[in-house]
Amino acid sequence: MTVRFASILAALASALLTLAGCGSSADAPPAACSTDKTWSGGDRGSSLMHPGGNCIECHSSGGEGPRYAIAGTVMNDSKDDTNCDGVSGVTVEITGANGQKITLTTNGAGNFFSSGSVPTPYTAKVISGGKTRAMSAAQTDLNCAGCHTAEGANGAPGRVFVP
Ligand code: HEC
Ligand code: HEC
């Protein structure tokens, strides 16, 4: 009886956790985090929030966060979880179909974002310490986090991570 009650409570708690926030793992502490530094501020608005999270999707569905055309996080490892801080000071260079470039630098959580856009398809690379990692295929979606999850979505191998 007691056991059954406890398991019902546990199921309820996990259902509530899934409902909280607009991304299912938005508030979960990271299981894998190679930098050992994590975001624990929930949905408190900050440029350092939810590293690895889907900034564009959450901001446009919740209606409260700033609208970005380009956003993502450069992680330290390709498998780091959402809410694990990435790497600061990395250059992210995005080249639009017309050759126009947008160059961004990752902040203290590894996040980068811009409300400016480029014509697509575009290519992207990350540059750090004279080393480069380039996306060989051109893409049309500027929401990096839509594909570069820890598991990898839409064919992406995992996170955008430091070269
Ligand atoms: C799960 C939802 C969610 C995710 C994911 C998310 N945000 Fe937010 N963000 C919010 C909400 C909600 C606000 C508005 C909060 C407020 O007004 O206090 C916000 C506000 C902000 C602000 C404004 C802060 C200010 O001073 O007004 C910045 C900057 C920001 N987010 C950056 C990012 C970046 C960069 C990412 C991705 C790496 C991101 N957010 C991911 C929900 C999210
Ligand atoms: C629609 C899915 C998709 C989106 C959106 C996307 N990527 Fe990628 N990315 C991929 C795939 C697939 C690969 C692996 C094949 C390749 O290199 O083209 C990749 C590879 C990369 C690599 C090379 C990884 C390595 O290990 O060398 C970098 C860097 C990268 N992407 C950066 C970005 C950035 C920055 C953005 C956002 C501006 C972005 N990507 C948006 C799918 C995507």
Side-chain angles (χ1 to χ4, degrees):
M1 187 64 185
T2 335
V3 171
R4 180 178 254 176
F5 186 61
S7 70
I8 289 169
L9 271 185
L12 268 176
S14 77
L16 282 172
L17 277 175
T18 314
L19 284 173
C22 34
S24 54
S25 64
D27 292 318
C33 184
S34 67
T35 57
D36 284 335
K37 282 190 285 173
T38 62
W39 168 259
S40 54
D43 286 351
R44 179 166 53 78
S46 162
S47 62
L48 305 175
M49 76 192 300
H50 293 316
N54 197 323
C55 328
I56 290 178
E57 186 184 78
C58 188
H59 287 184
S60 53
S61 60
E64 284 173 281
R67 301 298 158 106
Y68 298 132
I70 303 170
T73 306
V74 177
M75 293 293 210
N76 185 56
D77 185 272
S78 78
K79 300 296 171 210
D80 276 349
D81 276 341
T82 298
N83 294 327
C84 173
D85 281 357
V87 181
S88 66
V90 179
T91 302
V92 179
E93 189 183 277
I94 292 155
T95 306
N98 61 355
Q100 185 199 331
K101 282 190 201 318
I102 289 191
T103 303
L104 304 167
T105 304
T106 58
N107 68 18
N111 291 343
F112 60 90
F113 46 89
S114 172
S115 50
S117 191
V118 293
T120 63
Y122 72 93
T123 56
K125 52 186 170 183
V126 292
I127 306 155
S128 177
K131 289 190 278 181
T132 297
R133 238 176 233 289
M135 181 158 68
S136 49
Q139 299 292 346
T140 53
D141 183 355
L142 287 157
N143 180 8
C144 316
C147 297
H148 290 282
T149 59
E151 303 77 28
N154 304 316
R159 299 297 188 180
V160 176
F161 70 111
V162 70

